[in-house]
Amino acid sequence: MPAPTVLLTGAAGRIGTLLRDLLPGYGHTLRLLDVRPVEGAPDAITADLADRDALREAVRGVDAIVHLAGISLEAPFEKILRANIEGTYHLYEAAREEGVRRIVFASSNHAVGHTPLPRDGDPLIPVGTPHRPDTFYGLSKSFGEDLAQLYWDRHGLETVSVRIGSCFPRPESVRGLSLWLSPADCARLVHAALTAGHVGHTVVYGSSANTRLRWDLTSARALGYEPQDDAEAYAAPIVAAQGEPDPDDPAQALLGGPFVTDPPIWPH
Ligand code: NAI
Ligand code: 15L
């Protein structure tokens, strides 16, 4: 399949910025969208996910969408509802109306954050593990995955839902040593998700080939993703400063880490 023209939502954000740099190297032509201006990109579309008319215009003529826009951490329910739940719905409706073929949806480990981490000898966490969100934020990612399934089953709109681990320039915690997705591997994975053959709705985990991996990358590799990086290269100073993970500490025993143990933000 030839490299498609892609709308990148959330283009001003952390992952949006790295994909703006790296995806053109794979031959993709990008159209950018964010609610705030995108530095160095005067042609970027400034629009909120609540603006259906702007979304419809933004998706017109693109082959695919990489949907990163939204609140990327826990927040009051009303804010998550508007940006992540309603916003993702508006984007899928615009995509359906304009005949977009595929969406790569930035889901998160927090959609399944209450899943216990496997201990030594246990199988890796499969993509089929039930949704167990750890926050309203994680709940919005579970919703996004289910929305993607609905739009595939009802409308034939394909999605790869990528449950991203921690995508930062380098891992910063012992938890990150298992969840890290390097910027270069992030671009490799998104490229694979955009260009793989038939995907229907496919859920994958998004991380590098970390020595301390706790989840199963099989479905990501099936798209053609071949991760090249391993957080272990950064492990020594992190472990020296923080110690090895304590499997009896709730913040380290469940996939969502501190999201699981932080006090909940109730609706108000
Ligand atoms: P970020 O917070 O840096 O970027 C999100 C972008 O979305 C921002 O530029 C923001 O202005 C934009 N945005 C927010 N609400 C919007 C709205 N209503 N309309 C239009 N644009 C809006 O987040 P980051 O780290 O770049 O993450 C990108 C996506 O990946 C997010 O959906 C996040 O939940 C997901 N993700 C990121 C992980 C990471 O480690 N960075 C891990 C798991 C998931
Ligand atoms: C996420 O979903 C967040 O967007 C990101 O900022 C990190 O907190 C990441 O999860 C994580 O679990 O480390």
Side-chain angles (χ1 to χ4, degrees):
M1 184 180 297
T5 303
V6 177
L7 175 72
L8 188 63
T9 76
R14 191 170 27 226
I15 296 179
T17 300
L18 77 88
L19 289 180
R20 276 194 282 137
D21 285 346
L22 298 178
L23 279 184
Y26 288 89
H28 299 285
T29 302
L30 300 183
R31 189 181 293 176
L32 310 177
L33 181 147
D34 203 291
V35 72
R36 54 189 170 120
V38 181
E39 206 181 308
D43 293 340
I45 300 159
T46 304
D48 194 293
L49 290 171
D51 185 343
R52 279 284 284 278
D53 291 340
L55 289 186
R56 191 147 178 192
E57 201 171 315
V59 305
R60 191 165 297 144
V62 302
D63 301 293
I65 301 168
V66 177
H67 179 40
L68 305 171
I71 296 171
S72 58
L73 293 167
E74 180 61 324
F77 181 74
E78 290 80 357
K79 290 189 173 177
I80 295 284
L81 176 65
R82 187 172 177 280
N84 292 18
I85 296 179
E86 293 178 354
T88 300
Y89 161 70
H90 291 316
L91 185 72
Y92 269 77
E93 268 300 282
R96 181 188 65 77
E97 287 166 346
E98 292 296 329
V100 176
R101 181 181 53 80
R102 184 175 296 181
I103 295 178
V104 178
F105 170 58
S107 184
S108 171
N109 68 86
H110 299 291
V112 290
H114 260 282
T115 306
L117 286 168
R119 300 202 178 199
D120 284 348
D122 290 344
L124 297 171
I125 301 171
V127 289
T129 200
H131 283 158
R132 295 185 74 175
D134 52 28
T135 43
F136 296 132
Y137 166 68
L139 181 66
S140 75
K141 297 301 186 181
S142 302
F143 169 84
E145 292 184 10
D146 283 347
L147 187 77
Q149 186 67 49
L150 176 68
Y151 274 67
W152 165 244
D153 288 335
R154 293 297 297 262
H155 305 300
L157 171 55
E158 292 192 312
T159 296
V160 178
S161 291
V162 183
R163 289 182 189 152
I164 302 169
S166 287
C167 186
F168 297 94
R170 55 183 59 220
E172 281 158 13
S173 65
V174 281
R175 176 172 174 270
L177 295 177
S178 70
L179 287 178
W180 186 54
L181 175 64
S182 74
D185 280 341
C186 180
R188 286 183 188 102
L189 178 52
V190 170
H191 171 64
L194 286 169
T195 55
H198 170 80
V199 297
H201 176 224
T202 297
V203 180
V204 305
Y205 288 118
S207 68
S208 290
N210 302 321
T211 299
R212 301 176 189 229
L213 214 58
R214 304 295 191 87
W215 58 23
D216 186 357
L217 289 182
T218 302
S219 62
R221 289 181 184 278
L223 299 174
Y225 171 55
E226 290 180 19
Q228 304 294 309
D229 295 317
D230 182 346
E232 208 58 22
Y234 301 91
I238 294 173
V239 172
Q242 300 176 17
E244 287 288 351
D246 172 3
D248 296 320
D249 172 354
Q252 299 184 38
L254 300 175
L255 182 59
F259 280 55
V260 173
T261 48
D262 284 352
I265 300 176
W266 298 115
H268 58 270

